[in-house]
Amino acid sequence: MKTIVNYLHYISFAAIVTLITACGSHRAALSPEQLTGASVEERFDAMISSYKPWHSLSVPVKVELRSPSNLSLSGRAYMVRDSLVHISMRVLGFEVALLRVTCDSVYCIDKVHHLALIESLERIGSDSGITLGQIQSLMLGRAVIPGQCGRLSHKSRGLTFRASDNESDTWTVSAGSVSRYPFVCVYDVDRGINQVSSVSIELPGRKPVIVSCLSPVECPLGYIPSSLACDMTVSAKRLDASLRYSVGSLKVDNVDIPSFRRPGSSYRIIKFADLIKSLSSASLF
C-alpha cells in the first residue's frame, strides 16, 4: 500500500497541473432558446453573462487520480475570488495534506512526513498567461482565455472565433503569434444550457491540456460541474485526474477561510522540479 507521502505527491502534482493549465458587472443571460441561430460570438458573450458573481466559497471535494497511479482522498476546497485557493485533505478526520495557492505562491504540504513544496506561481506558469482568477474559473467550469484579464468578450483584443456553423457545439478561440500568449482554446459546449462541457488549451511547444466539466448542476453560482477532469502529459507521463464536488454542500460568500502558517524548520523543502523529476522514478521519496 502506498504511503500518505506518495498520495500527497500525486495529489499535489494533480492539483498544480490542474491549476496552471490553472467580478465584473453581471447582466441577465440569454436563455438557450433565445440563442437559436446566434453566432458563436453571441453565444460566447451570453455564456460569460450567465456567470454569477461571488467573493468566497467552500465545497467538499474528492481528489481522484487514475494515471500514473490510482488513489482517492477527500477534503474541502476554499476559494477567495482572485486571491486564494486552499484545499485541505483529510484521513480519518485528520488533515494530512494541504494545497494553498495565492497570487504569488504555491504551497503543497505533507503534515505526516513534514515535507513541503513551495514555489512561485509566476515561475510555474509564467509563459501560460493564466492568472489565479482564471485558475478559479477553470475549477468552476467557466471559460478562460490566457492573457485576458477583466470581463471576457468576443471583442477582446486579438481573438479569433470559429465554429463549423452557427449551431456548432465546438468553438475554437485563438490568438495569433503576435500575442504575448499565443494559444488555441477549443471549447465543446453543452447546447442545452450553453455552458462549457470541455476545453482543450494548447500553448506553443506543449501538448494540449484537456479539462472536462462533467454533470453540471445549477447552483447560486449558475452552473458548475459536479466533476472536473484533467487529462494531460507531463514529462512523458499521462496525468488523468479529477476533482469531484459535493455541490449540494456548496457555501457561497461569508465563508470562514482556514488560517495558514508557513512550514517551520522541521519541514524538508522540495521544489517543483523535484516533483516533476520524481514522476519518472519508480520510487517516490
Side-chain angles (χ1 to χ4, degrees):
M1 179 177 177
K2 292 183 179 296
T3 64
I4 293 297
V5 67
N6 289 2
Y7 289 169
L8 170 70
H9 179 96
Y10 282 123
I11 290 169
S12 300
F13 185 77
I16 289 174
V17 295
T18 301
L19 293 175
I20 64 176
T21 12
C23 293
S25 59
H26 180 74
R27 64 176 186 265
L30 297 176
S31 68
E33 292 78 12
Q34 292 173 301
L35 290 171
T36 300
S39 67
V40 62
E41 291 87 352
E42 291 170 330
R43 291 183 63 190
F44 181 83
D45 286 352
M47 177 192 295
I48 299 302
S49 296
S50 74
Y51 298 155
K52 305 290 181 62
W54 61 279
H55 174 263
S56 60
L57 63 84
S58 71
V59 63
V61 63
K62 176 183 286 187
V63 176
E64 296 180 329
L65 192 64
R66 290 170 291 277
S67 176
S69 182
N70 290 303
L71 67 89
S72 176
L73 280 180
S74 298
R76 194 168 191 96
Y78 302 81
M79 297 189 214
V80 178
R81 185 72 182 263
D82 295 329
S83 63
L84 176 69
V85 172
H86 179 110
I87 302 178
S88 172
M89 294 297 174
R90 295 180 176 273
V91 173
L92 300 178
F94 296 97
E95 186 176 61
V96 297
L98 173 66
L99 170 71
R100 189 176 178 98
V101 184
T102 67
C103 292
D104 54 17
S105 301
V106 176
Y107 299 87
C108 293
I109 301 172
D110 170 14
K111 292 192 171 183
V112 176
H113 298 84
H114 281 215
L115 296 173
L117 181 150
I118 304 175
E119 281 284 11
S120 162
L121 180 61
E122 181 180 7
R123 193 177 81 78
I124 292 175
S126 60
D127 61 347
S128 69
I130 299 291
T131 66
L132 179 56
Q134 291 172 327
I135 287 169
Q136 294 172 331
S137 291
L138 277 174
M139 294 178 70
L140 295 176
R142 297 182 172 187
V144 300
I145 296 179
Q148 298 288 332
C149 299
R151 185 176 179 83
L152 295 181
S153 166
H154 78 274
K155 296 180 180 179
S156 297
R157 183 179 178 184
L159 299 182
T160 300
F161 286 74
R162 186 175 71 255
S164 58
D165 56 66
N166 286 346
E167 292 300 312
S168 175
D169 290 332
T170 300
W171 311 343
T172 299
V173 184
S174 60
S177 59
V178 295
S179 171
R180 181 183 177 187
Y181 303 106
F183 67 89
V184 174
C185 291
V186 179
Y187 289 98
D188 283 331
V189 178
D190 184 331
R191 188 182 305 182
I193 57 176
N194 197 48
Q195 298 292 316
V196 172
S197 58
S198 73
V199 58
S200 171
I201 302 176
E202 301 178 27
L203 292 165
R206 298 186 183 183
K207 292 186 177 181
V209 175
I210 300 173
V211 179
S212 299
C213 308
L214 309 174
S215 303
V217 177
E218 195 167 13
C219 70
L221 296 179
Y223 282 95
I224 68 171
S226 298
S227 179
L228 190 75
C230 178
D231 194 337
M232 65 182 298
T233 300
V234 177
S235 299
K237 282 186 175 289
R238 179 173 179 246
L239 178 74
D240 183 5
S242 66
L243 296 175
R244 296 185 180 274
Y245 300 125
S246 297
V247 181
S249 298
L250 171 72
K251 297 180 180 179
V252 180
D253 295 334
N254 300 315
V255 172
D256 292 328
I257 304 300
S259 59
F260 175 72
R261 181 182 298 177
R262 285 179 60 95
S265 58
S266 63
Y267 280 78
R268 179 166 71 88
I269 306 301
I270 62 174
K271 291 293 185 180
F272 185 71
D274 299 327
L275 190 62
I276 299 293
K277 181 179 178 180
S278 60
L279 280 177
S280 301
S281 173
S283 62
L284 304 177
F285 299 104

